[in-house]
Every structure is written in C-alpha cells, then in structure tokens.
C-alpha cells in the first residue's frame, strides 16, 4: 500500500463544533465535538472517497503541496492537518504512457 497525503483545514463554528474540510477532495468535510474528532471523521471519509474513485477507474484525486494551499488564515480557521489515505501503488503512480525497450 502507498499513502497519499491531503491537507485538511480545521474551522471552529459559532456553535462550538469543529469542522475539518479537504479542499482537494471537493471540500469534503466532517463535523466533530473536538478538532480531533472532526479530523478523525474526515480521514475516514477521505479514505472512502478516494477508494471509490479508484474503484470506478478514476485516478487518485490531485493533491496540492503545502506551498500551494492558501496562505491566508480564514477567520474561523484554527489549524490544518495532513490526512493520509492508503491506496495501491499503481493507483498512486499510474503506468507511464511510454514503453521502455529491454
């Protein structure tokens, strides 16, 4: 198995709940009573989302490098986390479109 890493942004809502979202997965998001709960929930959702995409024959969704993420802190953002998603190596690194001769 191979790990693909996605950045999650963690916000605190006005009602005190936390929400963790992953912009690179279509703003996939999950709530939690604590920031750790929200991150745990969005981690599970991210794994399901990516595996479903791969099972449907799609490539692993693009993930941005930390330097490509928005640099400004949003008003409700309290932090960020990096989320691991395990996929088979072939899904993470598809076969190149060329063939090498022996």
């Amino acid at each position: 198995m191979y790990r693909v890493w996605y950045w999650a942004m963690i916000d605190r809502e006005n009602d005190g709940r936390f929400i963790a979202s992953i912009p690179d997965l279509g703003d996939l998001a999950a709530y939690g009573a604590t920031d750790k709960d929200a991150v745990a929930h969005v981690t599970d959702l991210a794994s399901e989302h990516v595996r479903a995409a791969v099972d449907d024959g799609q490539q692993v969704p693009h993930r941005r490098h930390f330097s490509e993420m928005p640099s400004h802190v949003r008003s409700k953002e309290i932090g960020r986390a990096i989320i691991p998603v395990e996929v088979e190596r072939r899904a993470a690194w598809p076969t190149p479109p060329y063939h090498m001769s022996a």
Side-chain angles (χ1 to χ4, degrees):
M1 292 301 263
Y2 185 81
R3 284 196 180 128
V4 179
W5 301 88
Y6 293 95
W7 283 101
M9 299 174 14
I10 307 162
D11 296 330
R12 185 168 193 158
E13 298 294 306
N14 292 335
D15 63 4
R17 292 186 302 167
F18 294 86
I19 184 167
S21 62
I22 303 175
D24 291 338
L25 297 179
D27 275 333
L28 184 75
Y31 282 99
T34 67
D35 57 339
K36 291 178 185 177
D37 288 341
V39 168
H41 293 307
V42 84
T43 299
D44 292 339
L45 290 175
S47 293
E48 292 173 18
H49 180 85
V50 172
R51 285 187 193 136
V54 170
D55 288 347
D56 286 344
Q58 300 173 24
Q59 290 186 353
V60 171
H62 174 75
R63 64 255 182 219
R64 287 183 268 186
H65 186 271
F66 179 77
S67 63
E68 298 172 307
M69 295 297 290
S71 61
H72 64 282
V73 177
R74 301 172 313 178
S75 63
K76 295 181 181 181
E77 185 177 331
I78 62 161
R80 296 185 181 185
I82 191 158
I83 306 296
V85 174
E86 289 190 355
V87 296
E88 290 197 28
R89 188 170 193 90
R90 284 178 299 199
W93 299 100
T95 306
Y98 55 85
H99 301 289
M100 297 181 73
S101 57

